[in-house]
Amino acid sequence: MEVTSELIQQNISKAREGDQVAFTFLLDFFWNEVYGFMLKRTENETDTEDIVIETFAKAFDRISTYNPEYAFNTWLIAIAKNVHIDLLRKKKSSLFIEITDEEDDKAYNVADTSLTAEDQLIKDQNLSSLLSCVKQLKPQYQEMIQLRYFQELSYQEIADTVHEPLNNVKVKLLRAKKLLAEIIQKNNC
């Protein structure tokens, strides 16, 4: 199927209405272009992947603000540039302290790492509270959180499990985390 600008505009309109298939189409169609652009800027695949995932998440959250007078890929690239700038600022503001090997060894020689009865109770209560918040998510997002954080599957393993493209999994997981954070903040989970 040939992708025309008309088809892209149709999918943008559908995405504005919350159509997940349209989001997936736009993600799949523009992923490589945004990824390639950012990889040239960052020269780091991990940072690039993080930037592109966040770019699409922000774009989909704010798709109603997209101005169709401009090309959609230009809008995505502008968002990606801003995400990259934010990442650079965070890295620059992070403080790194020099730790010697001797200090590092001391840090790992902790006498007792087992939880006290009180610590275990607090941990169990926190987990229970977190699970109740997770249950407030839509089933597809619950599944993403479950597979990634409770079963500790990689992105690729999740994609294989749910039979979806890797990029979709990344964006769904990002959305799930964002929604979960909002629920936790709102409900003090």
Side-chain angles (χ1 to χ4, degrees):
M1 173 171 96
E2 183 182 334
V3 177
T4 63
S5 61
E6 183 180 325
L7 181 61
I8 292 169
Q9 289 305 319
Q10 287 172 353
N11 277 283
I12 292 169
S13 296
K14 289 178 184 177
R16 282 183 163 171
E17 296 167 10
D19 184 329
Q20 290 296 317
V21 174
F23 282 127
T24 301
F25 170 85
L26 294 169
L27 175 76
D28 290 343
F29 186 76
F30 289 105
W31 177 272
N32 288 340
E33 183 176 353
V34 177
Y35 185 89
F37 176 83
M38 288 314 303
L39 186 58
K40 286 179 186 172
R41 289 178 71 121
T42 66
E43 297 178 352
N44 179 313
E45 289 181 12
T46 305
D47 285 350
T48 297
E49 195 167 277
D50 291 344
I51 290 167
V52 176
I53 289 170
E54 191 171 337
T55 296
F56 278 98
K58 285 185 177 198
F60 293 157
D61 284 346
R62 298 184 181 102
I63 197 157
S64 61
T65 66
Y66 166 67
N67 182 347
E69 291 179 22
Y70 303 99
F72 192 71
N73 60 341
T74 304
W75 184 63
L76 288 171
I77 295 291
I79 293 171
K81 286 179 182 177
N82 289 333
V83 170
H84 183 221
I85 289 167
D86 290 345
L87 178 74
L88 291 174
R89 285 183 183 144
K90 284 179 190 172
K91 282 186 175 182
K92 188 175 183 180
S93 69
S94 296
L95 296 175
F96 293 99
I97 55 172
E98 192 82 23
I99 297 176
T100 66
D101 287 339
E102 186 179 323
E103 290 169 327
D104 195 39
D105 288 342
K106 285 180 187 175
Y108 286 103
N109 290 332
V110 178
D112 185 12
T113 60
S114 62
L115 296 176
T116 65
E118 293 86 3
D119 290 340
Q120 185 63 46
L121 181 63
I122 291 169
K123 181 181 174 189
D124 292 345
Q125 286 175 342
N126 287 341
L127 182 58
S128 174
S129 179
L130 178 62
L131 288 172
S132 72
C133 287
V134 171
K135 287 180 182 173
Q136 295 177 40
L137 293 170
K138 290 181 180 178
Q140 65 177 348
Y141 296 135
Q142 285 182 32
E143 181 181 31
M144 290 292 140
I145 296 290
Q146 171 70 25
L147 293 172
R148 181 69 176 149
Y149 298 104
F150 293 100
Q151 295 183 22
E152 298 182 350
L153 298 182
S154 69
Y155 290 123
Q156 187 59 57
E157 289 169 331
I158 295 170
D160 294 341
T161 302
V162 297
H163 308 293
E164 288 193 33
L166 182 61
N167 295 338
N168 289 11
V169 167
K170 290 176 182 177
V171 170
K172 277 187 180 177
L173 191 56
L174 189 66
R175 275 199 211 133
K177 289 191 306 190
K178 194 174 201 174
L179 291 170
L180 183 58
E182 289 170 8
I183 290 169
I184 289 170
Q185 191 171 27
K186 188 173 88 179
N187 298 336
N188 292 326
C189 293

